[in-house]
Amino acid sequence: MKKAVAAEPVKKAAAAKSVKKKTAAAKPVKSVTKAAAAKSAKSVTKAAAAKSAKSLTKTAAVKSAKSVTKAAAEPESRTALVRRARRINRELAEVYPYAHPELDFENPFQLLVATVLSAQTTDLRVNQTTPALFAKYPTPEDLAAANPEEVEELIRPTGFFRAKTKSIMGLAAALRDEFGGEVPGRLEDLVKLPGVGRKTAFVVMGNAFGRPGITVDTHFGRLVRRWKWTQETDPDKVEKAVGELFPKSDWTMLSHRVIFHGRRICHARKPACGACPIAPLCPAYGEGETDPEKAKKLLKYEKGGFPGQRLKPPQSYLDAGGIPAPPLGAAAPPATGE
């Protein structure tokens, strides 16, 4: 009986010790669980916040896109149009500080003949053709007295050579007979000459006499319609509409810059939108290639590292990286740009 009584306290002590051990073991487990739960909760909160932020960013982007679309859809006021048009001209002046007429000429007579020959062909082909023509017939008197068949043969590469021969020989005779062998500097006199319209007259007036004029060729007309300066398609109406957006003093250089841009970047079929410096101002952005790397491959002339259209370009063009065009029959120099 004594033994049993003695064993009882020992048993109780052992049981208490076991409970204490269990409690001690359970405490860290509980602590770990609590830490894990807190960490998990923090992670979930962070993920939720990131998801929420992403969602907000996406919403903001959609909202912004809608806002831009809405702004684009709103009609542009006359004042806003004038400001945008003039800003485009300023931007183009920075991109093409060397813009110039892309026909080779040394005097008003050569420019007049070259401009008439440029109809339905490239300035490059005209520039490759006129050296031989002007070497043989340097003055209006010489050309007026020429053998038509010989003139036709010399200008054949420009196309429509029979009609063009008639025009340039006719204007040469008119200069000889009515203007003392000199090219007149007035619009009303120039348009009376055979084969000379307003476009040709403005080219001559602006570049041979320094008198302001807008040259509406295919490039000019295409770009001003893309930019929503006008919706007119008739050259005379385009000239009037665009002329009202700018002071007269800007007209000649504006023409050069727009034509330069149309030949180098804003092409008819594949405009290089992704490489265009005035893309933010252009309502037609997206009609062409928008990827910058792909668009870069569409650039022409000095912008793409290729020869220009003049055999004798201005020094400013050469300084800007422009390459002279090769003479007729010669191979073009390889591209030096990307």
Side-chain angles (χ1 to χ4, degrees):
M1 194 72 178
K2 239 176 184 180
K3 273 186 186 178
V5 173
E8 197 171 328
V10 173
K11 197 175 179 182
K12 279 183 182 177
K17 194 176 181 182
S18 174
V19 169
K20 194 175 181 183
K21 196 174 181 183
K22 250 184 182 178
T23 306
K27 197 172 182 182
V29 171
K30 191 175 180 183
S31 175
V32 169
T33 307
K34 195 174 180 182
K39 191 176 180 183
S40 175
K42 194 175 180 182
S43 175
V44 169
T45 306
K46 197 174 180 183
K51 191 175 180 183
S52 174
K54 193 175 181 182
S55 174
L56 285 172
T57 305
K58 193 174 180 183
T59 305
V62 170
K63 195 174 179 183
S64 176
K66 280 183 179 175
S67 174
V68 170
T69 306
K70 189 179 178 184
E74 290 174 0
E76 188 175 37
S77 70
R78 178 71 181 178
T79 301
L81 170 61
V82 171
R83 284 176 180 166
R84 183 170 61 84
R86 293 186 181 186
R87 188 177 166 193
I88 287 176
N89 184 36
R90 290 195 299 272
E91 295 281 344
L92 292 179
E94 290 184 15
V95 178
Y96 309 107
Y98 48 80
H100 57 271
E102 294 193 90
L103 288 169
D104 282 321
F105 69 98
E106 294 176 359
N107 54 56
F109 172 62
Q110 289 187 0
L111 178 59
L112 178 60
V113 171
T115 306
V116 171
L117 294 178
S118 70
Q120 305 298 316
T121 190
T122 63
D123 287 356
L124 169 61
R125 186 47 57 95
V126 174
N127 292 335
Q128 292 174 325
T129 303
T130 52
L133 177 71
F134 295 141
K136 191 162 188 177
Y137 310 112
T139 68
E141 291 82 0
D142 294 325
L143 184 57
N147 180 332
E149 290 182 1
E150 290 180 4
V151 176
E152 285 178 5
E153 198 55 39
L154 284 171
I155 68 168
R156 182 184 290 269
T158 67
F160 303 96
F161 56 91
R162 289 192 179 89
K164 288 180 179 179
T165 294
K166 189 175 178 182
S167 291
I168 63 174
M169 289 189 68
L171 72 82
L175 292 176
R176 178 195 62 193
D177 300 339
E178 299 173 34
F179 298 98
E182 299 293 329
V183 175
R186 299 193 313 162
L187 177 66
E188 53 267 42
D189 292 330
L190 286 165
V191 295
K192 290 177 184 175
L193 299 172
V196 179
R198 288 178 70 86
K199 174 192 138 183
T200 298
F202 281 132
V203 169
V204 175
M205 286 170 57
N207 300 290
F209 297 103
R211 293 176 184 167
I214 292 176
T215 304
V216 183
D217 70 352
T218 55
H219 301 289
F220 191 94
R222 179 179 74 252
L223 267 62
V224 298
R225 283 188 287 275
R226 277 182 178 167
W227 295 337
K228 306 294 183 191
W229 289 3
T230 180
Q231 292 303 315
E232 299 290 353
T233 53
D234 177 79
D236 291 351
K237 290 180 179 178
V238 170
E239 175 202 320
K240 183 176 185 299
V242 174
E244 290 172 352
L245 300 175
F246 297 89
K248 268 190 176 183
S249 56
D250 287 352
W251 287 359
T252 299
M253 286 309 299
L254 170 72
S255 301
H256 292 327
R257 292 166 191 152
V258 174
I259 293 169
F260 255 61
H261 193 62
R263 284 174 171 164
R264 285 150 180 77
I265 296 177
C266 196
H267 314 132
R269 293 186 182 178
K270 287 186 177 180
C273 294
C276 181
I278 60 165
L281 301 169
C282 181
Y285 175 78
E287 282 188 15
E289 181 56 66
T290 56
D291 179 84
E293 290 305 314
K294 290 180 181 176
K296 218 190 271 188
K297 294 177 182 176
L298 299 174
L299 302 180
K300 295 182 180 177
Y301 303 112
E302 78 284 353
K303 290 296 178 187
F306 297 98
Q309 300 206 71
R310 290 186 67 163
L311 277 66
K312 297 178 180 178
Q315 188 58 46
S316 57
Y317 177 77
L318 298 174
D319 292 342
I323 306 168
L328 193 64
T336 57
E338 292 180 359

